[in-house]
Amino acid sequence: MKHSIKRKIVQLAAFGYSNPYLMNFKGGKLYQGKWKQFCNPGLNCYSCPAASLACPIGALQAVSGSVNFKFSFYAVGILLAVGLLLGRAVCGWLCPFGLFQELLHKFPPPKLKLKKAFLYVKYVVLVVFVIVLPIAVTDYMGMGKPAFCQYICPAGTLEGGIPLLFSHKALRQTMGSLFTLKMTILIVTIIGCVLIYRFFCRVLCPLGAIYGLLNKISIYRLEVDAHKCVNCGKCKRICKMEVDPVKTPDSAECIRCGACADTCPEGAICLQFRLKSSIMTDRTEMTNER
Amino acid sequence: MSSKRKSIIQITTFLIAVFFILYGMVRGEVGVVLNKAVNICFECIGLG
């Protein structure tokens, strides 16, 4: 079975387990069971009525901004464990907001390419909005606010804000300039995703930044067999994340979608769980052997 | 990155991750996460 088909099945399953309580949309209630103490590997707002798990970025900020703690060992530990196992395969296979972005990109052209400088914005967002602001900016009680959720996260607006405002009249009366800002970011994100493949994922997502950094050591990885590769460039051309799998299989932007493996005419690219490289990935290594 | 160096980083990251999760659970972070996740987060939805 092709990776593209497997991935769609897994993405739908991940969307399902992340948001199984669809009936909660009707009354605008949140699921309040024990599962919410666990973090979802992908970005999925815990204020979404259908959500079954906690958002890892929200959890990280919630603990960092609390009175008693200034760092979330729990959320960071989960992110490290998941990132070590899967890297950015989480973005490509498990993230519900990633699936939403891919569906938006199915709208007809025009399509644009992203300038490389924008790829670094997500690291600034991670440091400033997720790590620094919730700890540094506190109220008189010493509590910080989840700055990323508050000022940026379009997933929260889409999955939590809009449904809850529809179902709660009282909440609608408290709408102000902050909601206008968040709606603007959501609209910009939607337009961005229609024009550019996974615009939010590549430019703004702090979770993508964390998993991207762990892509270099993740156990689920992309391997290119230098013996088989004929340098035809098909993999680079098919990659919607604009990665060259032959040169940088561990790129922080690779979401392990497997499109390159599907398109490779020589079967030189594979996605697999491996602790150690099983195939020759380095061309210099191959030359030495000869 | 050499294979040996990668393995060392992987093992270290794994141990750190396990320690962080357990330490976070022991000091009560799970309760903070659960409390935040089961109530409407006004900041998250753009009202806070």
Side-chain angles (χ1 to χ4, degrees):
Chain A
M1 192 192 285
K2 282 193 166 189
H3 287 103
S4 56
I5 299 167
K6 273 195 270 185
R7 195 166 75 91
K8 278 289 165 277
I9 294 168
V10 174
Q11 279 183 303
L12 287 171
F15 189 89
Y17 78 66
S18 301
N19 298 289
Y21 302 102
L22 295 173
M23 292 308 287
N24 283 353
F25 278 116
K26 202 177 170 188
K29 291 179 197 165
L30 302 190
Y31 162 70
Q32 297 189 313
K34 292 278 182 190
W35 281 103
K36 276 243 171 128
Q37 62 191 305
F38 300 107
C39 293
N40 193 321
L43 195 76
N44 195 61
C45 185
Y46 43 37
S47 283
C48 171
S52 61
L53 300 161
C55 169
I57 294 296
L60 202 159
Q61 294 170 93
V63 177
S64 303
S66 66
V67 179
N68 298 327
F69 311 114
K70 287 295 161 208
F71 181 78
S72 178
F73 286 95
Y74 177 65
V76 172
I78 289 175
L79 289 172
L80 282 176
V82 174
L84 176 64
L85 182 68
L86 298 168
R88 278 200 87 175
V90 173
C91 308
W93 294 69
L94 301 176
C95 181
F97 202 66
L99 174 63
F100 173 69
Q101 291 176 79
E102 286 184 12
L103 293 175
L104 285 174
H105 196 67
K106 290 197 183 296
F107 276 93
K111 302 295 171 198
L112 304 174
K113 289 208 165 192
L114 187 70
K115 290 200 172 175
K116 283 208 167 177
F118 286 105
L119 298 176
Y120 299 101
V121 175
K122 59 180 171 291
Y123 298 102
V124 177
V125 170
L126 171 66
V127 173
V128 176
F129 287 88
V130 178
I131 298 170
V132 175
L133 286 179
I135 300 171
V137 182
T138 55
D139 62 13
Y140 68 97
M141 287 173 70
M143 287 179 75
K145 295 234 174 180
F148 173 74
C149 299
Q150 189 169 13
Y151 299 112
I152 299 178
C153 188
T157 317
L158 179 73
E159 299 167 7
I162 295 171
L164 289 171
L165 286 170
F166 264 110
S167 50
H168 293 273
K169 194 181 173 187
L171 287 180
R172 285 200 291 275
Q173 289 164 349
T174 61
M175 283 163 63
S177 55
L178 185 62
F179 189 75
T180 309
L181 169 74
K182 288 208 63 177
M183 275 305 291
T184 308
I185 292 175
L186 175 62
I187 292 164
V188 169
T189 302
I190 289 172
I191 295 168
C193 291
V194 171
L195 298 174
I196 299 167
Y197 185 71
R198 282 180 172 256
F199 169 78
F200 173 77
C201 195
R202 294 160 77 189
V203 178
L204 290 171
C205 185
L207 199 54
I210 295 169
Y211 290 142
L213 293 172
L214 291 164
N215 243 8
K216 289 192 191 308
I217 58 162
S218 65
I219 294 167
Y220 189 65
R221 61 196 199 199
L222 194 73
E223 292 199 333
V224 184
D225 191 335
H227 281 301
K228 292 181 182 172
C229 178
V230 291
N231 268 329
C232 64
K234 281 188 176 175
C235 51
K236 188 183 173 185
R237 286 195 295 276
I238 198 85
C239 182
K240 290 182 180 175
M241 296 297 278
E242 294 169 53
V243 173
D244 184 347
V246 175
K247 282 185 186 164
T248 53
D250 292 334
S251 164
E253 296 307 311
C254 175
I255 57 167
R256 310 302 194 214
C257 68
C260 53
D262 285 344
T263 200
C264 181
E266 303 298 322
I269 303 174
C270 63
L271 272 168
Q272 56 188 351
F273 286 98
R274 283 272 174 194
L275 279 170
K276 281 185 179 176
S277 180
S278 59
I279 54 178
M280 202 159 287
T281 54
D282 191 346
R283 287 195 167 272
T284 53
E285 215 177 299
M286 188 173 78
T287 314
N288 292 340
E289 193 193 56
R290 280 174 183 166
Chain B
M1 194 189 299
S2 72
S3 182
K4 191 179 174 186
R5 194 175 164 201
K6 191 181 261 188
S7 298
I8 293 169
I9 296 172
Q10 283 175 333
I11 293 164
T12 311
T13 308
F14 175 73
L15 293 174
I16 291 171
V18 172
F19 171 74
F20 274 23
I21 293 169
L22 294 176
Y23 182 62
M25 288 169 83
V26 168
R27 72 177 195 153
E29 287 181 28
V30 178
V32 178
V33 172
L34 182 63
N35 188 46
K36 185 78 177 175
V38 298
N39 295 299
I40 293 174
C41 166
F42 289 100
E43 293 94 346
C44 304
I45 63 172
L47 300 177

